[in-house]
Amino acid sequence: MYIIAAIAVLYRHRSERPPAIMTVTRALLFMAMGHVLLTSPPGQGGDLAQAAGQWFMSISYYFVLKGVYRLTIEEPMRGKQLAEAQMKHMAYHDDLTGLPNLRQMKEQLGELLAFSQACTGVAVINIDRFKAINDSLGYSAGDKLLTELGSRLSALGGTQRRVYRMGEDEFAVIFPELPDDAAAEERAKELLASVDPAVLIDDTEYHISLSMGLSVFPDDGDSVNQMIQYADMAVHHAKEQGVDFMRYHAAMKQRTQSKVELENDMRKALEREEFFLEFQPQISLNTGKMVGMEALVRWNHPKRGLLPPSEFIPLAEESGLIVPLGEWVLKTACLHNKKWQLDGFEPVCVSVNLSMRQFRQYNLAEHVDAILREVGLDPRYLELEVTESMTYDIETALDQLHRLKRLGIHISIDDFGTGYSSLYYLKSLPIDRLKIDRAFVKEVMYDGNDAAIVSTITTMAHHLKLKVTAEGVENEEQLEFLKLQRCHEGQGYLFSKPVPAGVLESEFLSRLAG
Ligand code: C2E
Ligand code: CA
Ligand code: CA
């Protein structure tokens, strides 16, 4: 009776395909039943019991064979297939967002281009200032933003569009089966406009903006790689131009090529001594005397002439060349300053800009120390300018700043007011000075908000016992306003543009003593 009940239980979940071990258990149960029946004492119904026993034994052999087959062949195969399916999923999807990845995009786009005669749009979407968000709010905030955007895009995708994560802060969308180019542009812009820009991260709402580049098959290119590369080029041009959408056009390819050339030129420029420094005086608003100067790099390009930093610093940062270039600037600025001191001029501090990439070097303080020692410059005559984005990781930033401060140098926060830094951290940072970004100073007489920002920054700096320098002082009205705010120092065209070392010496240093 019990055995029959057990068999019934074993059969209850038939539809779920039990594991092989159940088949073996069944075999044993049937075998036990058969055995009981075959060995039961002959008597009334003995023949029937014998026949049933034989029947149970046969069934048990069947299950033994089936169990052995499933244990040795079927289940290992199924495990392998499962693992393969998992591997395939991983290979074709992005870990963080779960969206199909670039590999899958390439394959699907390849099929589309091969089998469809219709227009196909390829859009690449990039999050503006993602690096700043990542730097100042942390990587986990960045991850949340990417995941949220990924799910928003795929919700907007529908069946007509396919959404992919291309890597870092880039997503891609394929718009298949379109009648013409205009339709591709229309769909792409429509999608961009319908992404909700408000994102909630750790209970705070942030507004993000996106840039999109579009390439259209067959007009712009005919291979998968071309289509993706051109859409990518278009999005980077959109960012450079400060617009949110751009369709690829052939001139972009040339511009990208010239960027590559510029990067190659820059690699050689250090050895060929094509860089030089200009210095911009920093003036005490109280006394009108020069109290410091900022070193600003320039590039004398052999073919393109004099290049301002805006034309090559971003590229140097992108390529990592900023590290050797920045070190050259630091050393050269220190050398100039030391020479002026040796020549008998009144000692002043030289400020040197430090890019984020340099700031993140773990042995930065040792490098700075080595340069100061080699040049023989007293550390109190060097100031390093860092930007607010250093607070991306407050622990590391604090550690780095303390190590630099221990050398005896000064530290200022450049372009203050434009970043995401938290005022809360400000009081704990070992810094000496805030440099108010020139965008606020520029509008101080016309825009009440900018005047309030300048006034707030100076008041706060006084409370925190920090010095304040206003950048971009261009006229007397701004100067008067800044004096009223008790801003300590000013830098700008009103006092002087950045000038070559010789001019700084003859026009400013030589007049200091008097
Ligand atoms: P920054 O550090 O904010 O430097 C001040 C910039 O403002 C300089 O531009 C200067 O010429 C300009 N400026 C000064 N006074 C005025 C003014 O009254 N009105 C206006 N409109 N502009 C004024 P520059 O030399 O073109 O440098 C631009 C940026 O390039 C710098 O901004 C800095 O971020 C970067 N840079 C320059 N040299 C270096 C360097 O050696 N290393 C690094 N990492 N960055 C550098
Ligand atoms: Ca600066
Ligand atoms: Ca600045």
Side-chain angles (χ1 to χ4, degrees), residues 37-106:
L37 290 167
L38 285 174
T39 54
S40 60
Q44 256 193 358
D47 286 349
L48 201 63
Q50 285 291 314
Q54 292 291 348
W55 184 80
F56 272 105
M57 288 310 265
S58 320
I59 298 282
S60 79
Y61 296 145
Y62 163 73
F63 278 122
V64 167
L65 287 175
K66 189 172 169 186
V68 170
Y69 165 76
R70 291 192 55 198
L71 269 176
T72 55
I73 299 173
E74 194 185 271
E75 285 204 348
M77 282 271 283
R78 205 141 42 104
K80 206 171 138 211
Q81 280 166 353
L82 218 68
E84 272 172 6
Q86 248 170 1
M87 298 247 292
K88 194 167 170 202
H89 185 88
M90 273 160 61
Y92 283 90
H93 290 83
D94 167 52
D95 274 358
L96 181 68
T97 59
L99 286 175
N101 62 10
L102 182 64
R103 177 181 286 141
Q104 187 168 162
M105 176 181 177
K106 283 186 170 178

Side-chain angles (χ1 to χ4, degrees), residues 171-189:
F171 293 85
V173 187
I174 297 179
F175 301 88
E177 303 292 332
L178 298 170
D180 53 25
D181 286 35
E185 281 194 34
E186 200 180 302
R187 301 279 160 82
K189 285 181 183 166

Side-chain angles (χ1 to χ4, degrees), residues 405-474:
K405 277 301 291 177
R406 275 200 290 274
L407 301 177
I409 63 170
H410 302 277
I411 292 170
S412 60
I413 301 194
D414 201 3
D415 307 334
F416 189 75
T418 57
Y420 282 95
S421 84
S422 156
L423 294 184
Y424 172 76
Y425 291 138
L426 212 54
K427 67 176 193 303
S428 58
L429 295 177
I431 52 167
D432 304 277
R433 180 187 301 276
L434 300 179
K435 294 189 75 178
I436 305 178
D437 191 72
R438 67 169 182 273
F440 303 118
V441 177
K442 192 172 168 219
E443 297 292 323
V444 110
M445 302 315 296
Y446 311 104
D447 186 329
N449 287 335
D450 284 341
I453 289 173
V454 171
S455 163
T456 309
I457 296 176
T458 38
T459 310
M460 185 179 67
H462 280 285
H463 281 302
L464 296 173
K465 309 232 168 348
L466 300 175
K467 293 263 186 181
V468 192
T469 300
E471 300 191 284
V473 186
E474 292 185 352

